[in-house]
Amino acid sequence: MEILTFPNELLRRVSKDIDLSNEKEKEKIHGILEEMKHLMYHSNGIGLAAPQVGIAKRFFIIDIEQKVEKDEDGNISSITPGRLHVFINPKFISKEGELVYEEGCLSVPGVWEEVKRAQKVTIEYYDVDFKSKKMVADGLMAIAVQHEYDHLDGKLFIDRLPMVKRTMIKNKIIKGKAL
Ligand code: QAP
Ligand code: CO
């Protein structure tokens, strides 16, 4: 399993809901989640969605509390996981307010830009045990949920930048990769 990066077309697919009546599919998810968790922590990420590892299904993980220790060379020496949240078949019930936050993405490495999102969101989803849950999130958690949800619809945070900036960044990444 590896993290796909822009402009990989697989990141642009609209993902499908997990079929909660399909026990085989549910079982498979657990193994995938385990691998995604390791990938996310290892890459110093706070969120990772299934489409980012080439799986067109509607689920993602978020841990906004993890602590990453680096040695003097900047290499990761230890990662202390915080609280991992698993969101399966998520749906927004409400969004309120506005918040600008500097976002990055494991699929768009090295790019950090300010994005405008809702400040507070209510989201319905199934957790890792396929139990129905509801969460009211604000601040960083609200940003993370909206960012990861976008991946399920094939959207990236750079799509939400003003046109001029977006074109500049996309061209720069594509040129950089061609070299
Ligand atoms: C989404 O993003 C997010 O470019 C998760 O070199 C971002 O985990 C939610 C990362 C901001 C809320 C606020 C990106 C790591 C990680 C990079 C990430 C990089 C190394 C991004
Ligand atoms: Co992302």
Side-chain angles (χ1 to χ4, degrees):
M1 187 184 274
E2 60 177 23
I3 298 175
L4 308 176
T5 56
F6 176 85
N8 193 313
E9 280 304 314
L10 295 180
L11 291 169
R12 296 311 193 174
R13 293 187 292 184
V14 176
S15 294
K16 295 225 157 48
D17 268 333
I18 299 293
D19 177 3
L20 295 174
S21 66
N22 183 340
E23 292 303 322
K24 276 245 167 66
E25 184 170 20
K26 283 160 75 174
E27 222 169 276
K28 227 166 102 186
I29 297 288
H30 280 140
I32 294 167
L33 282 171
E34 209 50 38
E35 278 191 72
M36 283 174 62
K37 204 165 83 183
H38 289 298
L39 257 186
M40 181 181 80
Y41 286 132
H42 213 83
S43 332
N44 197 359
I46 61 169
L48 186 66
Q52 293 180 273
V53 294
I55 296 164
K57 294 282 178 184
R58 301 188 79 84
F59 65 94
F60 53 77
I61 57 176
I62 292 175
D63 184 347
I64 57 168
E65 294 166 50
Q66 60 155 308
K67 293 270 176 305
V68 178
E69 303 271 345
K70 294 193 178 172
D71 62 21
E72 51 269 33
D73 302 323
N75 296 314
I76 297 171
S77 53
S78 81
I79 298 168
T80 314
R83 216 174 328 159
L84 187 86
H85 294 274
V86 175
F87 296 83
I88 296 168
N89 295 354
K91 279 191 176 62
F92 288 109
I93 300 175
S94 69
K95 294 187 185 183
E96 286 171 50
E98 247 176 45
L99 178 64
V100 173
Y101 200 95
E102 188 170 76
E103 296 185 22
C105 179
L106 290 171
S107 293
V108 193
V111 176
W112 295 88
E113 292 290 339
E114 287 189 338
V115 180
K116 190 158 72 177
R117 306 258 189 200
Q119 187 264 326
K120 188 175 171 186
V121 299
T122 304
I123 190 165
E124 244 174 19
Y125 61 99
Y126 293 89
D127 71 4
V128 66
D129 300 314
F130 303 102
K131 274 205 201 109
S132 177
K133 286 276 168 84
K134 195 194 267 188
M135 179 191 280
V136 180
D138 63 5
L140 181 58
M141 191 62 173
I143 303 295
V145 167
Q146 292 170 83
H147 176 114
E148 299 311 330
Y149 187 95
D150 267 357
H151 281 296
L152 308 185
D153 286 336
K155 294 197 194 104
L156 300 172
F157 80 98
I158 49 176
D159 304 333
R160 297 193 175 274
L161 301 175
M163 179 67 107
V164 176
K165 198 159 223 177
R166 180 163 83 217
T167 308
M168 220 170 66
I169 288 170
K170 287 183 177 177
N171 286 339
K172 206 162 126 189
I173 299 170
I174 293 167
K175 267 200 201 123
K177 285 205 170 174
L179 291 173

